[in-house]
Amino acid sequence: MDTEHITIVDEQRKPVGIASRADIHRKGLWHETFHCWMVGREENHYYIYLQRRSAHKIDFPSLFDITAAGHILANETIEDGVREVHEELGIEVTMNELIPLGAIED
């Protein structure tokens, strides 16, 4: 797999550089990710759909995770993050079909 390069951002989410995913995580640098939570309702029952991570993942193998999520690469915008839904679930969606819930600083 090629090395992913991700934009480093400051606390105001302004770009300040680019580094490899490994360096960003090792150094604890701020960066952006895309999370898409899919929910559903059947009669009076509400559901949040999760995915189980591959047993071969380095981080948190075989555990349940966000419906679809991933890193925003250096050449992408937050809106480009919607590609994760297709990559992970095979579902084609656009940002206009999603309900934005905001940004969480963590």
Side-chain angles (χ1 to χ4, degrees):
M1 178 178 183
D2 292 336
T3 300
E4 290 180 331
H5 286 88
I6 299 171
T7 301
I8 303 163
V9 297
D10 65 16
E11 292 180 14
Q12 288 75 44
R13 297 177 51 209
K14 303 288 184 221
V16 296
I18 295 175
S20 72
R21 176 180 174 166
D23 284 346
I24 282 178
H25 284 202
R26 185 171 38 78
K27 296 176 183 177
L29 300 171
W30 285 92
H31 60 287
E32 296 181 312
T33 60
F34 178 86
H35 293 189
C36 183
W37 295 88
M38 293 199 176
V39 298
R41 182 178 79 188
E42 292 181 22
E43 297 179 10
N44 292 327
H45 299 284
Y46 294 86
Y47 300 91
I48 297 175
Y49 295 95
L50 303 173
Q51 68 167 294
R52 186 181 301 255
R53 294 175 63 83
S54 166
H56 304 288
K57 286 285 195 179
I58 293 171
D59 298 322
F60 313 108
S62 300
L63 296 181
F64 287 108
D65 202 357
I66 299 162
T67 314
H71 288 84
I72 302 300
L73 302 178
N75 62 339
E76 294 181 317
T77 66
I78 291 295
E79 290 76 19
D80 293 323
V82 76
R83 72 173 159 70
E84 294 288 348
V85 177
H86 183 259
E87 288 175 7
E88 295 183 11
L89 305 175
I91 300 171
E92 293 284 349
V93 296
T94 66
M95 286 297 287
N96 291 335
E97 296 174 281
L98 302 178
I99 301 169
L101 298 177
I104 297 171
E105 296 177 3
D106 179 32

